[in-house]
Amino acid sequence: MTEILDAPTLPSGRNYVGGAWVPASSGETYTKVNPMHPSDTVGEYSSSTEADAEAAVAAAEAAFDGWAALPMARRAAYLNAAASVLEARTEQVARDMTTEMGKPLRESRGEAGRAAQILRFAASEAFRSVGEHFEQAATGAQVSTRRRPVGVVALITPWNFPMAIPIWKLAPALVYGNTVVLKLAYEAPRTGLHIAEAFAEAELPAGVLNVLTGRGSTVGAALVTDPRVRAISFTGSVATGHGVRDEATRLGKRVQLELGGHNPLIVTADADLDRAVEASYAGAFWCAGQKCTATRRIYVQENVYETFKERLLARIERGKVGDPLDPDVEVGPIVSEKQFDDILAAIERGREEGGVVLAGGERADDEGYIVAPTLFESVRDDSFLSCEEVFGPVTSLYRFATLDEAMGRANASEFGLSAAIFTSSLAAAARFQNEAQAGLLHVNSQTAGADVHVPFGGIKSSGFGPHEQGRAAIEFYTETVTVYIDP
């Protein structure tokens, strides 16, 4: 059992390796500040090194044979037990999430509550088929397939969904019999350590789940190159993800990447404009736009463009921006000063390239790292804002004449994670489903959002390898063997 840490006590921030809470081998730590009140320190965490990664992988390797030999239903029982712990601690997890990375409490509560749902769905896999049975063509004797765990897997996760993404990676990895080294995001470690605490209280066998904090350039790189790690699942930036893919595949490892998006939303003239406005606001600005599925481009048919723009500007004006611990706030701070500065620089670049700021575009709080919800228009299709992801509350409006034009421009991005259309035309909706170049398609709903029981992932530059979540997870976390049995 691990010590239960009640807010507002500052956590010790130790790693969880081999079933024990241990400091970094170097003894070094780092502090995380509250992005709403940067003068406040919210925790001190282990600055893990390559030696800590080595120890975590060694613990996972030692635990693998025993864990893989357990019946899947017994493995699932640990997931259900951890889910119960997290359910009882939802409010504390949500507040820690909001305090360390700035997500509004209303969204943090939803994410914290979703964690148990993901674990319970993964646990239900214990009662599904583990293979298929066939007859040999020549003799009629038995031939079958079986799914077996891959081995030690490393999970490298981002700060913007510090509970949901680690859980949706580790839950299927564990239930299918793999052992795990989880590298938490540098900017949101406390939320992820709740996961380790939940599994410790569930009495998960030592070494099955190992959790590290620290910089990805140190810990993540060590995990990618360790020959005992059989598979890497990474969510983060395009540049880092491509580096992970290139090195890991060179070493013969399985790789799964989710690398962000530049997600379009199309509004046709026959759409319900009020619904489209609300979805555009939520998709672009909730969580301060710090989502890979956030709405970055809004294409509106020309004969309703001005009406839509007027209503969206009014919605931005009504929006609640401020302290994310206020349950009414919709837009809180950016996760760190560096991210904050990068977003303001991107806004300035958008202006320099001819974009016109209709709303926002500046700092919205004297202390907190808050960028006002920012809406551009007159942005060229080949400009920075139209092509590169700005990971903040920034979106652009574009005018189009025909659906042909809208589809072509929406698909022009190198990314292909999420896309949405608002329309009352069945024909337009059907065409969108057939032609939109994204892994997640939404008809009359915002670009952000995902269910636990269906695949999640992008195409084009937004992803690599099998998709995550739902039954799709089995493709990455297991390998198929074919067994011939002759009498």
Side-chain angles (χ1 to χ4, degrees), residues 136-345:
Q136 294 184 40
T139 67
Q142 177 181 327
V143 59
S144 61
T145 62
R146 286 189 63 83
R147 292 278 188 173
R148 300 196 306 203
V150 173
V152 177
V153 300
L155 313 176
I156 303 173
T157 60
W159 49 261
N160 61 329
F161 285 90
M163 176 63 66
I165 292 179
I167 287 282
W168 86 39
K169 290 180 188 292
L170 69 85
L174 292 177
V175 81
Y176 293 134
N178 304 281
T179 52
V180 169
V181 179
L182 169 62
K183 159 60 180 69
L184 296 174
Y186 188 82
E187 296 289 356
R190 177 65 192 120
T191 306
L193 288 175
H194 279 291
I195 300 169
E197 291 169 1
F199 276 99
E201 293 182 43
E203 300 182 347
L204 187 74
V208 172
L209 173 64
N210 306 275
V211 181
L212 302 174
T213 61
R215 291 201 177 277
S217 56
T218 302
V219 183
L223 294 174
V224 170
T225 57
D226 193 307
R228 296 166 296 180
V229 173
R230 294 285 311 282
I232 305 281
S233 181
F234 171 89
T235 299
S237 71
V238 172
T240 302
H242 286 174
V244 168
R245 178 197 62 196
D246 295 347
E247 181 65 11
T249 53
R250 183 184 70 81
L251 296 170
K253 302 176 188 287
R254 291 187 172 205
V255 180
Q256 179 185 63
L257 305 178
E258 196 282 285
L259 303 177
H262 204 289
N263 312 299
L265 183 148
I266 297 170
V267 182
T268 64
D270 58 7
D272 182 328
L273 293 189
D274 288 334
R275 286 181 63 194
V277 163
E278 193 61 37
S280 298
Y281 180 87
F285 303 128
W286 280 7
C287 196
Q290 298 174 117
K291 299 178 181 179
C292 54
T293 52
T295 305
R296 307 297 179 195
R297 293 170 290 148
I298 305 170
Y299 296 94
V300 183
Q301 201 153 18
E302 56 189 7
N303 44 340
V304 293
Y305 180 89
E306 293 299 331
T307 300
F308 179 91
K309 180 173 75 171
E310 179 182 339
R311 294 185 190 182
L312 181 56
L313 287 170
R315 180 63 181 90
I316 292 171
E317 181 68 25
R318 296 195 306 273
K320 306 294 186 182
V321 180
D323 190 335
L325 284 172
D326 180 341
D328 292 328
V329 162
E330 299 167 308
V331 182
I334 304 304
V335 69
S336 69
E337 185 175 21
K338 180 184 183 306
Q339 289 287 125
F340 173 79
D341 290 342
D342 287 348
I343 292 165
L344 291 181

Side-chain angles (χ1 to χ4, degrees), residues 357-404:
V357 175
L358 298 177
E362 71 284 323
R363 185 171 196 152
D365 188 86
D366 292 339
E367 181 185 9
Y369 301 138
I370 296 180
V371 176
T374 300
L375 180 65
F376 274 87
E377 72 171 353
S378 301
V379 175
R380 299 191 316 273
D381 285 353
D382 62 351
S383 71
F384 169 77
L385 290 177
S386 297
C387 301
E388 298 185 37
E389 184 178 36
V390 177
F391 213 63
V394 181
T395 194
S396 301
L397 272 178
Y398 305 82
R399 190 189 305 257
F400 74 88
T402 66
L403 187 58
D404 282 347

